[in-house]
Amino acid sequence: MLPIQKLESLSARYRELEELLCQPHILSDAKKYLDLSRERAELTALVRTFGSYADAQKRLADDRAALSDPELRELAEAEIPELEAEMERLSSEINLLLLANMLEHYDCVVDSAINGQNALQLINERDYQIALIDLNMPVMTGLELVKIIRSQRNPLKMAAISAYADDHKITEALNAGFNF
């Protein structure tokens, strides 16, 4: 579940920053301009991804409404699973961006992986204190990833994260080698 109100608030702040960055009194103050530019840069990926999510959500609603139209039904039925998958992917991406943004505000250095295989490569190349690993990553799941890391005798502390975990999945994650 996405924090829609928070995302809408961040999107509004992004639009406000774009307006502020065009104002003469901001342009003439180098420090203020730099601070606002940094804030805008931190929000850019999140706001764009949320925009894509909102667009997919609207298209999905339109397709569901089109199911009642015999002429559009077949097309809508074909698009709905694709849009649902796109929304799930975007939702995961938004959650990762929110998490990274939060951690960076506490001066943590954050690396993100687009899938489990990419995460394994990063973990093998760098020395991390902790890894937050999504259980539902593409290419290689978090469970598969943690088993490989543990088989390499890597003492890295790993926390399982997921938007879709039940008690069974939590137990499975801990048994696979997650610390948290």
Side-chain angles (χ1 to χ4, degrees):
M1 184 66 116
L2 291 176
I4 299 296
Q5 286 182 322
K6 176 70 172 171
L7 291 165
E8 288 171 346
S9 171
L10 291 171
S11 294
R13 176 62 179 158
Y14 181 84
R15 289 188 300 275
E16 178 186 7
L17 289 167
E18 288 198 320
E19 289 178 24
L20 286 170
L21 288 168
C22 296
Q23 294 184 7
H25 71 282
I26 300 294
L27 291 169
S28 64
D29 183 342
K31 182 182 178 338
K32 185 71 170 171
Y33 183 81
L34 184 60
D35 289 345
L36 293 174
S37 293
R38 283 187 184 139
E39 184 181 352
R40 181 184 172 273
E42 289 174 2
L43 293 175
T44 299
L46 181 60
V47 169
R48 287 184 180 161
T49 306
F50 178 58
S52 296
Y53 179 88
D55 289 344
Q57 190 174 40
K58 183 182 181 328
R59 291 191 330 259
L60 181 60
D62 290 346
D63 279 354
R64 286 186 174 145
L67 289 173
S68 62
D69 184 334
E71 293 179 19
L72 298 175
R73 182 177 185 85
E74 187 176 334
L75 179 61
E77 286 175 339
E79 289 180 351
I80 286 173
E82 293 170 9
L83 288 169
E84 289 172 337
E86 180 181 356
M87 287 182 63
E88 185 174 327
R89 180 188 62 77
L90 291 167
S91 177
S92 292
E93 187 175 338
I94 288 167
N95 283 323
L96 287 174
L97 289 167
L98 284 169
L99 180 60
N101 186 279
M102 179 183 66
L103 291 169
E104 287 167 350
H105 274 58
Y106 289 100
D107 296 325
C108 296
V109 176
V110 176
D111 288 327
S112 296
I114 58 170
N115 60 51
Q117 191 170 31
N118 180 240
L120 180 61
Q121 181 180 353
L122 286 170
I123 289 168
N124 285 333
E125 292 173 356
R126 300 187 180 140
D127 185 30
Y128 294 104
Q129 293 177 337
I130 190 167
L132 306 177
I133 300 173
D134 188 348
L135 293 176
N136 299 309
M137 288 185 290
V139 181
M140 178 190 303
T141 69
L143 290 173
E144 293 167 325
L145 174 61
V146 77
K147 288 175 184 176
I148 291 170
I149 293 167
R150 291 302 180 224
S151 74
Q152 297 171 342
R153 305 279 189 248
N154 188 327
L156 176 66
K157 298 288 185 207
M158 293 179 281
I161 59 173
S162 178
Y164 313 101
D166 56 18
D167 288 341
H168 172 73
K169 194 66 141 178
I170 293 167
T171 301
E172 187 178 12
L174 292 171
N175 289 339
F178 280 98
N179 302 94
F180 313 97

